[in-house]
């Protein structure tokens, strides 16, 4: 029996509801490039300026952004010896320097310090750019230190590299053009639906970086065929249900496996490909893992039921469990 919902139906839905339009992404990047170019010019004209450079970061830079994205992320590299260590002081300190660099381009009120980053607001388009500080010591691979949004200790800095993270994602996109990134976006959409349907004050947790790394693992190990989106989503959810997210996920792209901790270091283990000491799921508890597994099981059951549905309407209702009520087949 031919399934009532096919790859083509999911492709159409992704294009209509999930994906950030290419033209929108280009326009947003132009605005960020304006910031980068002005900062680069200011640094050249002011030797000793404590800000080093600005790099594209986040889901738009990776090509995994959803149509519903709100903030454009960039990383601001800061000379570590010049910068305050405490986060609140650092964010205010960066805001002051950005106001100086963008004088005449942006009003001071358009550059505001937040909890973890500096927000730059473009009045003409309504675009918000979150500028995330990275303490930098001159590493050629742009390795530096940042405070993760979920860190407990606000002076607990994590080694990272925006450039290497982008390269890591690009390698998977090169291995599986278009399809790998599209499946990542579809999974992120599924997570968005779980979050929207969570009880107030008890949100479903499954952050985007973990999804990207899990999909990279499934591609690298050839456990999932990403070229058919029905099959890919089925495989993604099946992996979560079968393993219950108890398998360690790590990569030897930028460091040997021997650098990883010998003992288990969390309820879920999905390691940053740039930093072997950073389990990206370190703050996820048993309940978080169980909720992800339960939601994945519900999605897997729905996809299976849809494959045997006698009518298109029945199949659509099943897929709405996965992709939400906007899915119409």
């Amino acid at each position: 029996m031919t399934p009532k919902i096919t790859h083509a139906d999911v492709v159409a839905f992704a294009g209509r509801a999930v994906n950030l339009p290419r033209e929108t992404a280009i326009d947003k990047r132009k605005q960020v490039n304006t910031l980068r170019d002005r900062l680069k010019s200011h640094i050249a004209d002011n030797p000793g300026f404590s800000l080093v450079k600005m790099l594209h970061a986040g889901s738009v830079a990776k090509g995994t952004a959803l149509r519903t994205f709100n903030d454009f992320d960039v990383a601001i590299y800061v000379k570590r010896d010049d910068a305050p260590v405490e986060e609140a002081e650092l964010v205010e300190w960066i805001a002051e320097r950005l106001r100086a660099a963008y004088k005449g381009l942006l009003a001071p009120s358009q550059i505001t310090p937040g909890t973890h980053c500096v927000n730059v607001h473009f009045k003409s388009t309504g675009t918000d750019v979150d500028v995330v500080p990275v303490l930098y010591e001159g590493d050629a691979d742009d390795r530096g230190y940042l405070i993760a949004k979920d860190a407990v200790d606000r002076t607990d800095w994590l080694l990272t590299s925006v450039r290497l993270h982008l390269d890591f994602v690009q390698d998977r996109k090169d291995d599986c053009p278009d399809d790998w990134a599209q499946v990542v976006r579809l999974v992120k959409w599924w997570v968005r639906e779980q979050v929207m349907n969570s009880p107030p004050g008890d949100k479903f947790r499954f952050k985007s970086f973990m999804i990207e790394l899990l999909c990279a693992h499934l591609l690298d190990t050839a456990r999932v065929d990403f070229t058919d989106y029905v099959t890919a989503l089925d495989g993604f959810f099946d992996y979560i249900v079968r393993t219950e997210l108890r398998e360690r996920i790590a990569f030897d792209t930028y460091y040997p496996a021997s650098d990883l901790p010998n003992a288990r270091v969390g309820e879920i283990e999905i390691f940053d490909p740039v930093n072997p000491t950073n389990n990206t799921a370190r703050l996820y508890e048993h309940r978080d893992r169980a909720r992800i597994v339960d939601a994945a099981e519900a999605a897997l059951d729905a996809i299976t039921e849809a494959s045997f549905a006698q009518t298109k309407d029945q199949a659509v209702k099943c897929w709405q469990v996965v992709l939400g009520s906007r899915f119409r087949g």
Side-chain angles (χ1 to χ4, degrees), residues 139-183:
D139 189 282
D141 289 324
D142 288 329
R143 286 185 174 88
Y145 296 85
L146 59 75
I147 288 183
K149 291 181 180 179
D150 58 1
V152 176
D153 182 351
R154 304 316 311 163
T155 60
D156 181 19
W157 294 87
L158 289 172
L159 178 67
T160 190
S161 170
V162 171
R163 190 177 304 280
L164 294 183
H165 280 163
L166 294 178
D167 289 348
F168 177 89
V169 167
Q170 188 60 53
D171 286 345
R172 275 71 194 171
K173 291 167 67 176
D174 291 343
D175 288 344
C176 188
D178 301 321
D179 296 325
W180 180 83
Q182 181 63 81
V183 173

Side-chain angles (χ1 to χ4, degrees), residues 103-306:
K103 187 176 182 180
L105 175 67
L106 298 170
S109 61
Q110 291 176 259
I111 302 171
T112 56
T115 303
H116 308 288
C117 60
V118 177
N119 178 265
V120 177
H121 178 69
F122 286 89
K123 292 181 179 178
S124 59
T125 61
T127 299
D128 286 310
V129 179
D130 284 343
V131 182
V132 181
V134 177
L135 299 186
Y136 184 58
E137 297 175 330
D139 189 282
D141 289 324
D142 288 329
R143 286 185 174 88
Y145 296 85
L146 59 75
I147 288 183
K149 291 181 180 179
D150 58 1
V152 176
D153 182 351
R154 304 316 311 163
T155 60
D156 181 19
W157 294 87
L158 289 172
L159 178 67
T160 190
S161 170
V162 171
R163 190 177 304 280
L164 294 183
H165 280 163
L166 294 178
D167 289 348
F168 177 89
V169 167
Q170 188 60 53
D171 286 345
R172 275 71 194 171
K173 291 167 67 176
D174 291 343
D175 288 344
C176 188
D178 301 321
D179 296 325
W180 180 83
Q182 181 63 81
V183 173
V184 170
R185 291 192 292 271
L186 288 166
V187 173
K188 289 171 65 174
W189 185 268
W190 167 73
V191 169
R192 176 180 177 273
E193 289 295 318
Q194 306 307 307
V195 172
M196 290 178 63
N197 292 314
S198 297
D202 187 24
K203 295 298 184 183
F204 182 84
R205 301 175 67 204
F206 198 175
K207 63 185 178 182
S208 295
F209 192 29
M210 290 167 58
I211 293 168
E212 292 165 358
L213 295 179
L214 179 49
C215 285
H217 172 70
L218 295 176
L219 178 69
D220 293 357
T221 57
R223 298 194 189 195
V224 167
D225 175 11
F226 283 83
T227 61
D228 182 284
Y229 302 157
V230 172
T231 301
L233 290 171
D234 182 276
F236 178 87
F237 296 127
D238 178 70
Y239 174 82
I240 291 177
V241 172
R242 284 189 298 102
T243 64
E244 297 185 330
L245 289 179
R246 295 183 187 277
E247 283 190 357
R248 170 176 284 190
I249 294 173
F251 306 87
D252 59 3
T253 310
Y254 300 115
Y255 55 78
S258 57
D259 286 353
L260 292 164
N262 291 323
R264 190 171 184 87
V265 292
E267 182 72 20
I268 303 172
E269 289 187 312
I270 303 179
F271 282 89
D272 185 333
V274 172
N275 180 357
T277 67
N278 178 24
N279 175 15
T280 65
R282 63 193 175 279
L283 296 184
Y284 282 60
E285 300 175 351
H286 171 79
R287 185 169 183 275
D288 300 311
R289 181 181 60 78
R291 289 182 75 182
I292 295 172
V293 174
D294 287 347
E297 185 171 18
L300 181 61
D301 288 347
I303 293 174
T304 301
E305 184 178 348

